[in-house]
Each structure stands twice: as C-alpha cells, then as structure tokens.
Amino acid sequence: MNKIKISVLFLILLPAVFIGIKHLRSDKSVLMIDQKMMIQNLSIESKSGVSIKFEQKNGTWILNGKYKADEIYLGKLIEKLRKLKSAKAIASSGYERFGLSEDNRFHITAGDAKNEVSFYIGKNSSGNYFIMKEENGKIYLAENIKSNDLIISEDSARDKQIYKVKPSEVAKITVTKSKTEILLPEEKDGKIVYSLQGKNISSDNIEIIVNDIQDFRADKFIDIKPSGKSEASVKLFLKNGKEIGFEIFPKEKNNLYPVVSTESEYAFYISPHRAERIMNLDVLK
C-alpha cells in the first residue's frame, strides 16, 4: 500500500518538478548578442540626446554617416556589448520603475544586413540596469554592465587622429611664434633624434614635443573654425616634398586652444599643456 501511495505522490509531483526545472532554465543568463554574429552596424540611441550610429563602409567604420569612427573605442564598446547578459525575468510592465520608459531608455541595435538584434537598456534610481527585449516586452535583470558603459557621445566616438608620420619621413619641423624655431632630425645609434637649430639642448627635452607634433591628435572637435590671427604655426616638411601642419589660435574661455590643421576639415581643441609646450620651444633649457 505504501509503495502505491509513493508512486501516486511521485506522479502528482512530477509535473511540478518539470515546471520548476523549466523555470530555472528560463532564468539562466543569456548573452544579448550571439558571439558568432557579425557586427557591421551598431546604434545606441535615447531621447535624452544620445544618437550614435556606426556603420562599416569599405572596411572603414563611419560615425553618424559623416565622421571617421575611433576603431579602438568602438572595439571596446562592442566587446562590452558582447558580454552583456539578461538574467531572470522580473516584470512585464511598470517600465518607469526600471528606467525603461521611452524618455529614459537606451535602444541598442547591432548586426549586419542579414541578422540583427535589438533591445532596450534602462537604469533605475538605485543604479541597477535592466533589459527589455523587443520581441516580448519582458524586463530582465542585466548582467556585465557598468555605470559608465553607456556614457557615450559623438565626440568621444570620433577618431581623434589628425595625422601620423614616421620620424624617418621628416626633413624638418618649424614652429613659428614671434620667431621661427627649426627642429632638425638626425640619426644617432640607429635612432632618429631632434636638435633645435642654434641651441645646445638635450634631445630628451625635445622628444616629447616632437612626438606630439608627429603623431598629432585632437582632444575635442569643434563645429566652428576659429577666426582672427593664430598664435603659432607648426609645419612639417616631409622628405617626399609634402608639407603638413597646423595653426594654434588664442586660448578660449574654456581654457582650451582651438587648432586648424591642413589634414582635417574640422577644427578642434588641444589642451593648454600641449599647446604651450609646443609654442614655448624658445624657453627650453
């Protein structure tokens, strides 16, 4: 009789066990982007002002249809999104409580021409992140996301490299402020070092400045080119006959120096430390 009771009890509990197992499986963490998915376009948008769209064209990543994207920055962003997981489902309504209202959420879309994934990310007042899947409207706890992962702007995603030349390509560099200083390269012990014409200065004191000039990057792009007279002019005369360079304009109220370069159609800022170091070659000891 006891064996019959146990068998009946087992048959009664068996469906509940299967339901429980199914529930546990449905709550396991799931990657939001399949590791095998090719990503040739990526967009992160929100009504709070973020509108970032990356698209690969002819092997080059383009930002918002017109700027060259910073591929190192983009690579790190894609890596973060590939690690993003949705954990257990916790709700299917009350989006405001989870930072998933239309005004607050981020809309993420990634994929290629054939396959695409799309979902929303929100953050509540306690700083926790949540995911809403577009296909079912359910809300899931997000895993593997940090508070600064979605702090993104168009400027931070742009390629800041203005130009880069090898030391072996340079014939001379001139820096003109009140007068013109000439930097001349010379090979010593298999390494190219620079001297400041007419001055007995250690090449170590010049190296940081020259490296910045040869591998020139913007700190921040600006929409309007500066007007008026520049404070300093820097020119690189290359061995192939090409001449490139940039003009540094007076410091603005934001404590940054506007710059215009022959190698960029957009003006940009550099920091006071960089600008003043370049302009003050004449005081090097």
Side-chain angles (χ1 to χ4, degrees), residues 7-204:
S7 298
V8 171
L9 181 62
F10 178 75
L11 289 172
I12 293 171
L13 293 176
L14 189 60
V17 171
F18 277 117
I19 290 170
I21 291 171
K22 185 178 179 181
H23 176 71
L24 287 172
R25 285 178 177 170
S26 67
D27 281 353
K28 73 176 183 179
S29 299
V30 177
L31 287 167
M32 293 305 299
I33 299 177
D34 190 296
Q35 297 300 296
K36 295 180 181 179
M37 176 180 279
M38 285 284 293
I39 296 181
Q40 294 180 327
N41 58 73
L42 169 67
S43 68
I44 301 176
E45 299 177 276
S46 77
K47 288 191 175 180
S48 62
V50 174
S51 181
I52 303 295
K53 295 181 180 180
F54 299 96
E55 186 179 5
Q56 200 171 38
K57 293 181 178 180
N58 300 321
T60 299
W61 281 97
I62 304 300
L63 171 65
N64 289 348
K66 55 182 177 179
Y67 305 121
K68 187 179 178 184
D70 184 334
E71 295 194 13
I72 295 175
Y73 180 96
L74 175 60
K76 290 178 179 178
L77 180 60
I78 290 175
E79 185 180 356
K80 290 175 184 177
L81 291 173
R82 283 196 184 277
K83 292 178 180 178
L84 181 64
K85 292 182 178 182
S86 60
K88 63 179 181 180
I90 53 177
S92 56
S93 61
Y95 300 128
E96 293 81 5
R97 291 188 295 130
F98 303 100
L100 286 164
S101 65
E102 286 190 16
D103 291 334
N104 296 313
R105 67 194 183 189
F106 289 90
H107 187 200
I108 315 291
T109 306
D112 58 19
K114 295 180 180 179
N115 298 299
E116 195 172 74
V117 62
S118 182
F119 55 92
Y120 298 95
I121 296 178
K123 183 173 75 170
N124 69 3
S125 57
S126 300
N128 297 313
Y129 281 89
F130 301 90
I131 291 170
M132 185 179 78
K133 295 185 179 179
E134 205 164 41
E135 66 267 22
N136 60 18
K138 287 185 178 180
I139 300 168
Y140 301 79
L141 187 64
E143 290 183 352
N144 296 341
I145 184 169
K146 297 177 182 177
S147 58
N148 62 346
D149 284 352
L150 292 175
I151 298 176
I152 184 171
S153 67
E154 184 178 80
D155 189 74
S156 65
R158 287 176 69 175
D159 185 0
K160 301 293 196 307
Q161 187 85 58
I162 303 301
Y163 64 79
K164 184 175 183 177
V165 297
K166 296 177 182 178
S168 59
E169 297 173 334
V170 180
K172 70 176 179 178
I173 299 172
T174 63
V175 179
T176 303
K177 195 177 176 185
S178 56
K179 60 179 181 177
T180 298
E181 304 287 352
I182 302 175
L183 291 158
L184 295 173
E186 181 183 358
E187 187 170 340
K188 288 184 178 180
D189 302 322
K191 180 183 176 182
I192 295 177
V193 296
Y194 277 83
S195 61
L196 192 56
Q197 191 177 51
K199 294 190 177 183
N200 184 22
I201 298 171
S202 167
S203 60
D204 293 339

Side-chain angles (χ1 to χ4, degrees), residues 209 212-213 215-219 248 257 268-279:
I209 298 171
D212 191 5
I213 292 173
D215 185 0
F216 201 57
R217 298 179 62 87
D219 288 340
I248 301 175
Y257 283 86
F268 52 93
Y269 287 123
I270 62 173
S271 69
H273 180 66
R274 291 177 62 199
E276 290 161 14
R277 187 171 58 194
I278 292 169
M279 291 191 293

